[in-house]
Every structure is written in C-alpha cells, then in structure tokens.
Amino acid sequence: QQQQQQQQQQLLPETYPLPPHTFAGQIEQALVAKYGTTANIDRVLTSWRFMEQGYVHKEFVGDNNILDDPEHSKCHQLAHSYFPGLTVKEFWNPNDFFWSDKLRKGYSHIRRELEQNLSSMKWAGALTEDAQAYGKGWKTLVLMNRGMWDVDNVKNLFPKTSNIVRQSGIPAVEVFFARLEAHSDSRWHSDFTSFVLTCHLGVIIPLPNESCRLTIGDTEVAWENGQVLVFDTSILHKAINESDHDRYILMFRMWHPDLTNTERQALQFIYDALEFPGLLSLEKTERQEAERAVQQARSFPLLLSGSTTTGGAGFGASSTINKKKKTS
C-alpha cells in the first residue's frame, strides 16, 4: 500500500495557490485563515486545487499479484473530487467501526418506520448527468446532505431513524434511503469522491438475498437485512435487483477514516461555504449571519422548522467555481 501511494504521488499534477479574486480562491484563503499553517490542511488545499483545475484521478487500485491483466479488471478509482494519500480498497470490515453495531441494533426500528412511511414517501431520481448511471430504478429520500439535516423528512417521516443515526456516532456527510426497483440495475459508475466512504444498512432486502447484489471493483456481495456494508464508491461499481420486489437500504456517505479531524472540519467548511457564501464575507455582520445559518442547518432538527436542499458528497465536477455552486 505504501509503495502504491508513493507511485501515485509521482503521477499527480502540480498545484498552485488559486487567484484570490475568484470564489474558489476566496475559499482557499478562508481555509488558511481559519486553520492556521497550511501544513494542517495541505491535503485539503491540494484536493481543492485539483478540482478547480479540472483534474480527474484515474488509477488501477486492484491487486497486481492476483490479476494478470489489470485492463480486464473493474477495480479502478475514478474521482474528480480527489484527496491524495488515502487508503483505497473495495470493502472495509464494518466491525472495525464502533458505530456499525449501533446501526445493526437499531435495524428493527428503522425498518418499522420505513414500512410505515412507504406509501407517503416522495422519492427522487437521479438529479445530474453523472448520476444517470444509477438507472431509472434508483430512487432516494434524503435525511442529511453535506452535513445538513433535511428538516421535513426528519421531523415528519423519520424521527426515530434519524435519532438512531445521530446517536450511533457515524461520521456521516450524507444519509438517505435508497430504493432499487424490482428487475432493475445500475451500470458501472463511480461516485467521483475519494474522501468519503459509503455505508449501506440493509433494511428491506427481497429473498433470496442473492437476487440483490452489489459489485465494487472485482468483488460481488449480496445485501442482507440488518447487516452493514462499508466500501469505496470512488471505485467503479454497480448494483442489480433481479427479484420481484423493491430493495431498500439506508445509505451513508461518511468521512474517510484516514482524514484527520482538522481535515474533516476543513472539508466541511468548503461544503458550508458552497451553501452559504456569506461565510467568506469581509463584513462581520454578514459573516456572522451565515455562521448562524450553518449552525442551524447542521443542528439536529426535531425542534427546528424549514427545509434544506439536496446535493452530492463531492465538491462538483466543474473546473471553474466563481459563484455559489450546487451539485447533486
């Protein structure tokens, strides 16, 4: 793994400070001002600069000792929100994460609440061209997006589920239910973001389990009710439901465990600034208003009102950001 990372670093393009008059440059300046020396957030700045210059990281991350011909492997990482120096592998052991057992223990409550709300849920399909690879059978309902809770869905539909998620301690960036309709699939695709991992909790999995399968790179697994999977969706992957019934999971994007606490905070600040550009204002009053708005949006919303919008875990695919930007 260390040798692979050293080889990878040699292939990365050089980066330079962003022009301070641009929106992306203002975010960079705010990061340095907020988190001190660039050494604390050097990898965050590199990732941000990669995105701004339109860099897309493409790398074979499989095992050369097993595969004679990597060209016939699907174990390739594809990321335009790329963060250097992180461990890359298809599946992670869920038992290595303390919160996985808490999610498993909350399974029966989560399933019961989902079953109670199935008839009233307003599912959303793919919202961007990149997401079209998920297929027409893929639908979602958001509880959290980029660290900000969806107030309506949490309060009116899933208060128990949301509270279980909050109390589990999972370092979630996004939380949403995902439906894969009967006899549907998704084609090979990447989620394009390397600094988050993906977690699935099987909620309603049709029997036999083998009819609903997930493939990450060169490894295929079947979902199971009440069980947790953790994997890297910056690696090419696909899913299929060959059963006569819809498949439902509770899905999470979570911070990669190799990130430091400061790096997580800096990445979250980028998300917040994309949603609330007032954080970058030179006027103290405007900046404080934006800070209050962020605090409210990220607070657990059982006592709040209003709604947040939905987006995606990555920074965005555009090579130039000069205004408030949102992607899904």
Side-chain angles (χ1 to χ4, degrees):
Q1 181 70 34
Q2 184 177 4
Q3 182 180 4
Q4 183 186 53
Q5 290 182 355
Q6 290 174 346
Q7 293 173 347
Q8 164 189 313
Q9 293 293 338
Q10 295 173 0
L11 299 175
L12 296 179
E14 293 186 29
T15 62
Y16 303 94
L18 299 173
H21 63 277
T22 65
F23 183 68
Q26 292 171 16
I27 287 181
E28 181 176 287
Q29 289 181 311
L31 286 169
V32 175
K34 188 175 182 67
Y35 297 101
T37 63
T38 56
N40 294 331
I41 55 168
D42 181 65
R43 295 193 299 180
V44 176
L45 295 176
T46 297
S47 178
W48 183 239
R49 292 166 183 171
F50 280 159
M51 185 283 305
E52 175 63 8
Q53 69 187 49
Y55 172 68
V56 179
H57 187 75
K58 301 176 182 179
E59 182 185 1
F60 172 68
V61 293
D63 191 339
N64 282 305
N65 297 322
I66 297 176
L67 293 169
D68 295 330
D69 187 1
E71 294 301 319
H72 288 85
S73 166
K74 290 297 184 182
C75 201
H76 293 261
Q77 186 179 53
L78 180 63
H80 52 54
S81 288
Y82 175 70
F83 198 102
L86 301 179
T87 302
V88 185
K89 57 184 178 181
E90 295 156 296
F91 285 90
W92 296 62
N93 185 348
N95 294 324
D96 290 340
F97 301 96
F98 72 90
W99 44 260
S100 65
D101 188 54
K102 296 181 180 181
L103 292 178
R104 285 189 288 262
K105 290 179 179 178
Y107 161 68
S108 60
H109 300 286
I110 295 170
R111 175 163 181 156
R112 188 177 305 115
E113 198 165 49
L114 176 62
E115 291 174 332
Q116 291 171 348
N117 288 290
L118 277 178
S119 61
S120 58
M121 293 170 67
K122 296 180 180 179
W123 297 93
L127 300 180
T128 67
E129 185 176 346
D130 286 342
Q132 294 299 325
Y134 285 93
K136 295 182 179 179
W138 171 265
K139 300 291 188 295
T140 63
L141 184 134
V142 172
L143 299 182
M144 176 196 286
N145 176 62
R146 291 183 174 179
M148 301 180 185
W149 293 96
D150 186 299
V151 179
D152 288 340
N153 288 339
V154 169
K155 289 184 63 176
N156 300 327
L157 294 176
F158 292 101
K160 292 181 181 178
T161 295
S162 301
N163 201 41
I164 289 171
V165 170
R166 181 177 68 93
Q167 292 183 349
S168 75
I170 184 172
V173 181
E174 297 178 1
V175 183
F176 54 95
F177 283 101
R179 180 178 75 186
L180 187 60
E181 294 178 354
H183 302 290
S184 69
D185 60 18
S186 66
R187 61 183 181 269
W188 289 105
H189 65 285
S190 167
D191 291 345
F192 298 112
T193 305
S194 70
F195 52 79
V196 297
L197 297 181
T198 299
C199 169
H200 287 180
L201 173 69
V203 182
I204 303 178
I205 310 300
L207 297 175
N209 291 353
E210 291 73 17
S211 63
C212 294
R213 303 185 304 278
L214 170 70
T215 305
I216 308 293
D218 301 316
T219 305
E220 182 180 76
V221 300
W223 287 283
E224 296 183 44
N225 283 316
Q227 296 304 309
V228 172
L229 295 173
V230 181
F231 44 92
D232 190 333
T233 49
S234 69
I235 299 172
L236 293 176
H237 58 284
K238 66 177 182 177
I240 189 168
N241 180 2
E242 297 176 326
S243 77
D244 296 329
H245 304 279
D246 294 348
R247 180 234 62 186
Y248 298 91
I249 58 171
L250 184 58
M251 184 167 174
F252 307 85
R253 313 278 195 208
M254 65 181 200
W255 296 121
H256 194 292
D258 288 354
L259 296 172
T260 67
N261 288 334
T262 300
E263 288 172 336
R264 291 184 186 188
Q265 293 170 18
L267 289 167
Q268 183 63 57
F269 178 81
I270 294 176
Y271 286 157
D272 295 343
L274 291 172
E275 185 71 24
F276 299 97
L279 289 173
L280 308 176
S281 176
L282 298 178
E283 296 183 8
K284 183 177 180 180
T285 301
E286 183 178 0
R287 191 170 62 251
Q288 289 177 336
E289 289 178 356
E291 290 170 350
R292 283 193 291 269
V294 168
Q295 183 178 8
Q296 181 176 17
R298 291 176 59 189
S299 298
F300 194 61
L302 291 184
L303 300 178
L304 302 176
S305 60
S307 173
T308 59
T309 51
T310 62
F315 295 139
S318 173
S319 61
T320 302
I321 294 182
N322 54 19
K323 60 181 180 179
K324 179 180 178 182
K325 178 177 176 63
K326 294 192 64 184
T327 60
S328 298

